[in-house]
Amino acid sequence: MTVTATSVDESDQLPPQNAPVSRAARLVRLVPALAAALSGVLLYVSFPPRTLWWLALPAFAVFGWVLRGRSWKAGLGLGYLFGLGFLLPLLVWTGVEVGPGPWIALAAIEAIFVALVGAGVAVVSRLPAWPVWAAGLWIAGEAARARAPFHGFPWGKIAFGQADGVFLPLAAVGGTPVLGFAVVLCGFGLYEAVRLAVRMRRTRALRRSAAAVALLSVAVPVAGAVAARPLVSDKAENGTATVAVVQGNVPRAGLDFNAQRRAVLDYHARETERLAAEVKAGKVAQPDFVLWPENSSDIDPFANADARAVIDAAAKAIGVPISVGGVVEKDGKLLNEQILWDPVKGPVDTYDKRQIQPFGEYLPLRSLVGAINENWTSMVRKDFSRGSEPGVFDLDGAKVGLVTCYEAAFDWAVRSEVTDGAQMISVPSNNATFDRSEMTYQQLAMSRVRAVEHSRTVTVPVTSGVSAIIMPDGTITQRTGMFVADSLVQKVPLRSTETPATRLGILPEIALVLVAAGGLGWAIGAGMRGRRATEA
């Protein structure tokens, strides 16, 4: 079968450009643009803290309806509107303390990737089995967003909105790319199934192969998720560990919490000492180790004796090692560091954050940013440096992989800890700068997906909430409130089995990018052959 640009159904084509256009017709022409933006908003609503994961399916179904049979230029514009509808509300937390400028700029830049995906989907929508190629293109767009610019920004991956969904077990099969591909394929397939059903009612004619592809696009992802259920388990393989997650709270929310650095350290030490008193009284089980959040000691304990004494006293009170989130300076480099603090030996191991946050922990294009707004440069006076090695702490025999805050969004950063021997994962974070926004819930959902992806217990110690303990099946067993001092103690399973997602690593993502490239190449080639035939 030869596919040409003229193979689109007549019902999908627009009227000739030279036809008289009434006011009503002009309004009708706005419908696709409005539908693209609103379907992007619908996709946003499917994300945490809401548990409406299934709304991603109609969101992509409407997006498929908007794009099918359009030119690549129309797809580019409609894709951009879809991206803005999705990313503007999703990322509103980035402007909580710095104003709307950076938030709008970030969403506008990230939406460019969605626009390019929209252009590609419009092109491949003329192909047989187009939902497959279109879903591959979406994952290719996510892969690009996770790598550029400034080392990428994967926030908003479709997989991160599926922590409560039926597709979640697919994370253990091929990580976030396979999970996201299944959701997008199901959404596009849903539209194609409805389109063909309507067409059959109108014409009583329908190709069996087209109907089969539409139905399989919906059925295969669901069947795959059901088949993957046995990969999801919370059984202990290497015994258990009793972990304590400490949330000390901060004096006040916002960027100026850093001005209260000593208070933040004291709060975490005080909550640890309170926990030690409860352990001594027999009210709480003795933990094997304690996990503090990122930035729990922004005073460098290696350079400040008072900070060292506070941490040392807390470790001695609880009587077990503590993983402390500190800001330290070594050899002129500023590092976001996790410090393993032994109650007897003091600091014995460290992990330096490798995926640091642009415009938060370092400032790209500093001179340009300063020319726009000097206040923004003052927020990041000195750039943090990157660590280079995975961080797996041996905490009383349990191997705990450290994934600091922003790193949880990056597939490679989490996977490297597991392949380096981690039997559980800790995601120490600091969300105090984002007040009571949805950011902490979005990040918590990421950790739930990572738990299933690698079949590991995940703990999330946060300065101001929400801190949580997550089982390897993605279930939250304990959580704190926001802006309260609290601690969570629980016996959790330790596991060493690697899921297919862990073993395969980046290969599923590469395969899906190749699917996208193959579909795009086929569509472009078919279009060129069609033009040559027309000219002949």
Side-chain angles (χ1 to χ4, degrees), residues 115-132:
L116 294 172
V117 170
V121 171
V123 171
V124 302
S125 68
R126 296 173 172 84
L127 297 177
W130 71 268
V132 176

Side-chain angles (χ1 to χ4, degrees), residues 342-428:
D342 185 87
V344 176
K345 301 176 183 178
V348 294
D349 201 357
T350 60
Y351 165 65
D352 299 325
K353 187 176 182 180
R354 293 170 292 167
Q355 187 70 45
I356 56 178
Q357 183 182 353
F359 303 100
E361 292 172 303
Y362 77 101
L363 197 60
L365 311 174
R366 182 177 287 273
S367 58
L368 176 61
V369 172
I372 298 172
N373 190 323
E374 291 184 1
N375 292 331
W376 293 344
T377 58
S378 65
M379 294 176 187
V380 187
R381 292 185 176 88
K382 183 175 181 179
D383 292 342
F384 280 79
S385 296
R386 300 174 185 274
S388 58
E389 299 294 332
V392 179
F393 286 171
D394 188 335
L395 288 162
D396 195 37
K399 297 188 181 301
V400 181
L402 283 304
V403 181
T404 306
C405 196
Y406 184 59
E407 292 182 318
F410 292 83
D411 295 347
W412 67 268
V414 185
R415 184 170 57 242
S416 67
E417 309 301 70
V418 179
T419 57
D420 204 47
Q423 298 168 317
M424 62 171 287
I425 298 167
S426 183
V427 185

Side-chain angles (χ1 to χ4, degrees), residues 55 119 158 212 215-216 219 240 251 256 263 292 304 325 348 421 454 457 461 500 527 533:
L55 286 178
I158 298 305
L215 293 175
L216 288 173
T240 60
D256 61 349
W292 283 9
N304 295 274
V348 294
H454 299 291
T457 298

Side-chain angles (χ1 to χ4, degrees), residues 90-362:
L90 185 81
L91 302 178
V92 68
W93 51 267
T94 60
V96 167
E97 293 296 331
V98 294
W103 157 50
I104 293 172
L106 176 62
I109 292 170
E110 294 297 312
I112 293 173
F113 291 92
V114 184
L116 294 172
V117 170
V121 171
V123 171
V124 302
S125 68
R126 296 173 172 84
L127 297 177
W130 71 268
V132 176
W133 317 116
L137 280 164
W138 183 272
I139 300 306
E142 287 190 343
R145 281 209 304 125
R147 291 165 174 80
F150 313 124
H151 299 277
F153 186 75
W155 218 276
K157 273 190 169 187
I158 298 305
F160 297 150
Q162 297 295 309
D164 292 293
V166 298
F167 298 101
L168 181 60
L170 289 171
V173 176
T176 60
V178 168
L179 174 54
F181 177 81
V183 175
V184 179
L185 174 61
C186 199
F188 284 143
L190 180 64
Y191 160 66
E192 184 67 356
V194 172
R195 186 187 73 84
L196 292 177
V198 171
R199 180 182 173 188
M200 185 175 66
R201 289 188 62 183
R202 288 176 178 174
T203 65
R204 301 293 180 184
L206 184 63
R207 291 187 57 190
R208 291 182 180 179
S209 59
V213 167
L215 293 175
L216 288 173
S217 296
V218 177
V220 169
V222 176
V226 173
R229 284 293 306 170
L231 296 174
V232 180
S233 173
D234 61 359
K235 293 181 179 178
E237 295 177 332
N238 306 101
T240 60
T242 300
V243 56
V245 171
V246 168
Q247 175 177 303
N249 202 10
V250 299
R252 58 179 178 268
L255 292 174
D256 61 349
F257 88 95
N258 281 311
Q260 303 286 315
R261 293 180 302 165
R262 178 55 192 268
V264 174
L265 172 57
D266 288 344
Y267 283 11
H268 284 82
R270 185 184 308 159
E271 178 60 25
T272 303
E273 290 165 357
R274 186 195 66 79
L275 175 62
E278 289 199 340
V279 170
K280 187 175 181 180
K283 297 179 181 179
V284 180
Q286 171 68 54
D288 296 315
F289 52 88
V290 176
L291 301 171
W292 283 9
E294 177 189 35
N295 299 127
S296 47
S297 179
D298 276 352
I299 301 175
D300 185 348
F302 296 106
N304 295 274
D306 59 334
R308 185 184 185 104
V310 169
I311 299 170
D312 214 39
K316 283 180 168 59
I318 196 68
V320 296
I322 302 176
S323 179
V324 178
V327 174
V328 305
E329 190 165 352
K330 294 179 181 177
D331 302 321
K333 295 180 178 180
L334 193 62
L335 300 167
N336 186 333
E337 189 167 81
Q338 287 291 310
I339 308 165
L340 176 54
W341 205 285
D342 185 87
V344 176
K345 301 176 183 178
V348 294
D349 201 357
T350 60
Y351 165 65
D352 299 325
K353 187 176 182 180
R354 293 170 292 167
Q355 187 70 45
I356 56 178
Q357 183 182 353
F359 303 100
E361 292 172 303
Y362 77 101

